[in-house]
Amino acid sequence: MAEFQLIEWLRSQQSNKGQGVTLGIGDDGAVLRISPNQELVISTDTLNEGVHFDKSIAADDLGYKALAVNLSDLAAMGASPAWALLSLSMPFEDRAWFEAFSSGFLNLASEHGVSLVGGDTCGGGLSIGVTVLGTVNTGHAITRSGAHSGDLVVVSGTLGDAALAFSRLQALESPAPTSFNALYRPVPRVALGQSLVGKASSCIDISDGLLADLGHIADASNCGAKIEIARLPVSRELSACNRPERSRLQLSGGEDYELCFSISPGKRDVLDKLEKELNIQLTVIGEITPGSGVECIDHDGCVMKQPPRGFEHFK
Ligand code: ADP
Ligand code: MG
């Protein structure tokens, strides 16, 4: 079974949701009721050497990224991050590496007012598990399931840059700073996520590639989506690539950690306001449709027959 089938099987093994569980398995974070007014949003992600990174990554970049990818899930839920736990498995004790790793992690934590409140340290293959906890006012978490037909589909930032850096590194070339930072220093869109509360109808962070992640919104919302490749935001560096390569990276390159959300066309002015307030690029790339799945319109105005797939473990 591939990753999402395994998760679905696990989900099917629990007969009820459980006490205080507003939202369990299936979104960027779980939503748990902790008081009448507040809910806890909790999410966890693991980075393994050889799967998510290789030895060439600098220790402070790895510490930064381990927390950033987790904060990105809280951002997608519209939560305010507050606490983190860090489980670190390392092959041997290397004090300099450990301090550099921790400084990358803790500097980002303090930028977001996050306290490291626990974790685990042990010997083994290099693997980093992070759990983050944040809060939302009750009923205000943004989920994957609230999109409606006719809503606009919007993404933040530019797409495909992390995947471009990854492919350059694989070809033993040096990525330019934009894509290098996209891969190793992704900016979790925390302020944007919080600003979208009460405005966006659904949201997800793009970790597995735009098509895969927008597909999760479509599935969870029982609708479809239609996007146009010509509208996808592109960095200057990626625009220098040939068209097929650029489209492939934008549609299926993982690790963008931008937000993809839906919003009613009546709230379009919110986008201009947020762009200015947060100094962030927001691009309407298509719309939510009554059908199912994600349809991709290519540069010639035709529906792409075999759009590239997103990343999935065990596939
Ligand atoms: P994301 O890409 O946002 O981190 P994933 O695709 O990893 O989300 O996971 C999808 C959903 O499945 C999430 O709600 C996650 O918490 C849940 N999930 C993944 N693995 C497990 C597991 N082993 N046990 C329980 N829930 C899981
Ligand atoms: Mg996510």
Side-chain angles (χ1 to χ4, degrees), residues 28 73 144 205 207:
D28 292 293
D73 278 319
R144 298 176 179 183
D205 70 321
S207 50

Side-chain angles (χ1 to χ4, degrees), residues 213-237:
D213 289 315
L214 180 55
H216 292 317
I217 286 188
D219 291 348
S221 301
N222 287 316
C223 56
K226 183 161 83 177
I227 58 166
E228 288 173 48
I229 293 182
R231 297 170 87 171
L232 301 180
V234 64
S235 67
R236 189 180 304 171
E237 190 186 350

Side-chain angles (χ1 to χ4, degrees), residues 154-158 189 191-193 195-196 199 231 233 258 261 263 267-285:
V154 185
V155 291
S156 62
T158 56
R189 301 300 190 186
L192 175 61
S195 302
L196 290 174
K199 300 185 176 87
R231 297 170 87 171
E258 294 295 348
F261 58 94
I263 189 165
K267 293 185 178 151
R268 203 181 185 120
D269 56 328
V270 166
L271 302 178
D272 298 333
K273 198 166 150 265
L274 288 179
E275 275 198 313
K276 290 196 192 90
E277 257 174 39
L278 303 175
N279 190 26
I280 193 169
Q281 185 179 346
L282 296 176
T283 310
V284 177
I285 59 166

Side-chain angles (χ1 to χ4, degrees), residues 120-277:
D120 192 30
T121 306
C122 61
L126 186 56
S127 172
I128 301 115
V130 177
T131 300
V132 284
L133 302 98
T135 56
V136 285
N137 291 332
T138 295
H140 283 66
I142 316 172
T143 67
R144 298 176 179 183
S145 59
H148 302 287
S149 174
D151 284 352
L152 306 173
V153 175
V154 185
V155 291
S156 62
T158 56
L159 300 174
D161 299 308
L164 175 64
F166 183 74
S167 72
R168 292 255 197 274
L169 288 169
Q170 287 217 309
L172 302 177
E173 294 165 12
S174 305
T178 323
S179 57
F180 182 90
N181 285 333
L183 183 62
Y184 288 136
R185 292 266 161 178
V187 177
R189 301 300 190 186
V190 175
L192 175 61
Q194 288 172 31
S195 302
L196 290 174
V197 170
K199 300 185 176 87
S201 51
S202 71
C203 188
I204 191 167
D205 70 321
I206 306 175
S207 50
D208 299 333
L210 172 67
L211 284 183
D213 289 315
L214 180 55
H216 292 317
I217 286 188
D219 291 348
S221 301
N222 287 316
C223 56
K226 183 161 83 177
I227 58 166
E228 288 173 48
I229 293 182
R231 297 170 87 171
L232 301 180
V234 64
S235 67
R236 189 180 304 171
E237 190 186 350
L238 189 58
S239 66
C241 292
N242 64 49
R243 235 186 216 178
E245 177 69 349
R246 190 200 327 171
S247 303
R248 188 182 65 79
L249 295 173
Q250 288 178 298
L251 292 171
S252 66
E255 303 211 283
D256 285 315
Y257 298 107
E258 294 295 348
L259 296 186
C260 174
F261 58 94
S262 59
I263 189 165
S264 144
K267 293 185 178 151
R268 203 181 185 120
D269 56 328
V270 166
L271 302 178
D272 298 333
K273 198 166 150 265
L274 288 179
E275 275 198 313
K276 290 196 192 90
E277 257 174 39

Side-chain angles (χ1 to χ4, degrees), residues 3-4 7 10-11 24-30 42-45 69 73 144 204-205 207-208 213 216:
E3 179 187 355
F4 295 115
I7 296 171
L10 205 47
R11 172 150 76 164
I25 295 173
D27 216 299
D28 292 293
I42 179 164
S43 185
T44 191
D45 261 322
V69 303
D73 278 319
R144 298 176 179 183
I204 191 167
D205 70 321
S207 50
D208 299 333
D213 289 315
H216 292 317

